[in-house]
Amino acid sequence: MRNQPQKKQHHHGNLREALITAGVGLLNEGGLSALTLRKCAARAGVSHAAPAYHFKGLNGLLTAIAARGYQALAETMIEEREAAATDPHACLVAICNGYLRFAQENEALFDLMFSAKELCYDDPELQRESALARQVLHEGCAPFKHGSAGNEGTEIMIWALVHGFAGILRKRRVRPDHHPANNIRFEDILPHLECV
Amino acid sequence: MRNQPQKKQHHHGNLREALITAGVGLLNEGGLSALTLRKCAARAGVSHAAPAYHFKGLNGLLTAIAARGYQALAETMIEEREAAATDPHACLVAICNGYLRFAQENEALFDLMFSAKELCYDDPELQRESALARQVLHEGCAPFKHGSAGNEGTEIMIWALVHGFAGILRKRRVRPDHHPANNIRFEDILPHLECV
DNA sequence: CAATAAACTTGACGATGTCAAGATAGGCGT
DNA sequence: ACGCCTATCTTGACATCGTCAAGTTTATTG
């Protein structure tokens, strides 16, 4: 067993990371259907069955890549928040725009994270990263309350709104013209929120 | 070529419909990954390559089933609307609850309709049925306008909200306890809408 | 009744996920 | 220094899948 996790070892040396990188690359280039255990293996220069050792199977690899996706999603949201003004409303809008930017810049990865593919939802890494991403949204929502709903309802409302809007924008790629959400920014559909 | 589209003919007689029915059944029983050309063929009692003749391939079958899904979605929304009070706000809430009920009662079908699977989006049947479903939502939104957004923005907002909420509720199946949206109804997150 | 086209069947191919068994190399105790 | 042990891959096989080409059967039509 390796003592130093980043130490180069045996045949490949840190193959797990190389397989995830290969997977993200395949995802960006060919979409969700191009993400394959065997193609990942080929891209990393190992045999076709090597990934099954590091991940519990295809679902394991997908889960690891999805966890990476949640990490990147959180980073994008934080990045937008830092670049925004400091008042709570601008922060929340910035966080949501980060969410939307991530969804559009990493379409296949976003698909993987929220697709019907059965990931290993009990994977601790996936749970940690997705919880971290949700934490960013949670913090952004904290200063607000929303009409009829309690404080928790506000977060659900924002979450549903931004996630649903991301899904709508995703379909714009198919038929870019005459798309109903063409000239609509997130700020336009964000309802009024009262400070708590 | 058949003259009467519903006439019994040749070997099976109206195999196209039987394949769609078989596909919906597989979807309900085993989820999206169980929906397979060969299994549909077996369930309909024909050879493994028969579906490729009626549909342009797997995508064609998925598209036909998704179109059926939009049809059922519209029916569910209309059903809820009819059972509701007649004032516009109750109608809109009922329509959205129909959307959510459909998403929860037909999980795999909903997955197919909004998954990353590449459907034949130019298929006229799919376009017609999805447009009809959107029309129901459109009518429900028509009496309202939403704060900053125009009349079109209202519809996008409701659409995003209900679709996003459906996605959140979908994940509740994975870990039913401690789910943030457990005791939240759609009415709780629906923002205030002004009559136009 | 024969020709023609529609509606399948049969067989094959390559790609994929998964598993079992084997090979290999690096580290550790002695 | 030497041999073992285990983590890390490789090799080979299998079942399933979508797709295509070619053949077969049935219905319609002239």
Side-chain angles (χ1 to χ4, degrees):
Chain A
M1 193 66 123
R2 78 175 81 157
N3 294 336
Q4 322 291 346
Q6 302 304 343
K7 200 77 159 295
K8 178 160 186 176
Q9 76 235 13
H10 193 29
H11 288 136
H12 183 277
N14 180 308
L15 176 57
R16 186 186 162 92
E17 210 56 34
L19 286 170
I20 292 178
T21 302
V24 173
L26 287 168
L27 218 42
N28 287 333
E29 295 168 20
L32 192 46
S33 62
L35 178 49
T36 283
L37 280 183
R38 291 174 113 103
K39 285 190 198 145
C40 282
R43 182 167 288 214
V46 292
S47 82
H48 67 263
Y53 180 80
H54 290 276
F55 308 95
K56 249 184 317 183
L58 177 60
N59 284 350
L61 176 61
L62 298 183
T63 302
I65 295 178
R68 220 41 86 81
Y70 278 106
Q71 193 178 345
L73 170 60
E75 285 170 7
T76 307
M77 288 192 291
I78 290 175
E79 191 179 313
E80 291 282 332
R81 186 186 59 188
E82 302 299 318
T86 57
D87 78 284
H89 193 269
C91 269
L92 180 56
V93 169
I95 288 169
C96 290
N97 278 326
Y99 192 105
L100 296 170
R101 180 162 73 85
F102 174 84
Q104 294 193 268
E105 288 178 353
N106 306 76
E107 210 164 329
L109 189 49
F110 191 80
D111 281 345
L112 170 63
M113 292 158 60
F114 299 104
S115 78
K117 297 256 185 193
E118 291 166 10
L119 308 178
C120 308
Y121 293 106
D122 51 353
D123 179 74
E125 194 180 339
L126 178 67
Q127 286 191 358
R128 190 183 66 231
E129 298 300 335
S130 68
L132 276 167
R134 244 200 81 199
Q135 178 66 18
V136 178
L137 199 66
H138 178 74
E139 290 166 8
C141 290
F144 299 102
K145 76 172 183 218
H146 172 241
S148 55
N151 209 346
E152 188 165 334
T154 306
E155 186 179 340
I156 300 284
M157 189 273 282
I158 295 291
W159 188 8
L161 196 63
V162 67
H163 185 69
F165 195 54
I168 291 175
L169 289 177
R170 187 168 67 93
K171 295 233 164 184
R172 188 166 55 175
R173 183 197 40 146
V174 177
R175 253 180 300 152
D177 302 338
H178 312 102
H179 193 279
N182 254 342
N183 294 315
I184 303 213
R185 301 164 305 160
F186 182 74
E187 297 92 306
D188 297 331
I189 65 171
L190 179 65
H192 174 70
L193 298 170
E194 304 169 23
C195 287
V196 84
Chain B
M1 192 68 122
R2 78 175 83 156
N3 294 336
Q4 322 293 345
Q6 302 304 343
K7 199 77 160 294
K8 178 160 185 175
Q9 75 236 12
H10 193 26
H11 287 136
H12 183 278
N14 179 309
L15 177 56
R16 185 186 163 92
E17 209 56 34
L19 287 170
I20 293 179
T21 303
V24 173
L26 288 168
L27 218 43
N28 286 333
E29 295 168 21
L32 191 46
S33 62
L35 180 49
T36 283
L37 279 183
R38 291 173 112 103
K39 285 190 198 147
C40 282
R43 182 166 288 215
V46 290
S47 82
H48 68 263
Y53 179 80
H54 289 276
F55 307 95
K56 250 184 316 184
L58 176 60
N59 284 350
L61 176 60
L62 298 183
T63 302
I65 295 178
R68 217 44 83 83
Y70 279 105
Q71 193 179 344
L73 170 61
E75 285 170 8
T76 306
M77 290 192 290
I78 291 176
E79 191 179 312
E80 292 281 333
R81 186 186 59 186
E82 301 300 317
T86 58
D87 77 284
H89 192 269
C91 269
L92 179 56
V93 169
I95 288 169
C96 291
N97 279 326
Y99 192 105
L100 296 170
R101 181 161 73 86
F102 174 82
Q104 295 193 267
E105 289 179 354
N106 307 74
E107 210 163 328
L109 188 51
F110 190 80
D111 282 346
L112 169 63
M113 291 158 60
F114 298 105
S115 77
K117 298 256 183 191
E118 291 166 11
L119 308 179
C120 308
Y121 293 107
D122 51 352
D123 178 73
E125 194 180 339
L126 178 66
Q127 287 191 357
R128 189 184 65 230
E129 298 300 335
S130 68
L132 275 168
R134 244 200 79 201
Q135 177 68 18
V136 179
L137 200 66
H138 177 76
E139 290 167 6
C141 291
F144 299 101
K145 76 171 182 219
H146 173 241
S148 55
N151 210 346
E152 187 165 335
T154 305
E155 187 178 339
I156 299 283
M157 191 272 283
I158 296 290
W159 187 8
L161 196 63
V162 67
H163 185 69
F165 195 54
I168 291 175
L169 290 178
R170 187 167 68 93
K171 295 233 163 185
R172 188 167 57 174
R173 183 197 40 146
V174 177
R175 253 180 299 151
D177 304 336
H178 312 101
H179 193 280
N182 254 342
N183 294 315
I184 303 212
R185 299 165 306 160
F186 182 74
E187 297 91 305
D188 298 330
I189 65 171
L190 178 65
H192 174 71
L193 298 170
E194 304 169 23
C195 287
V196 84

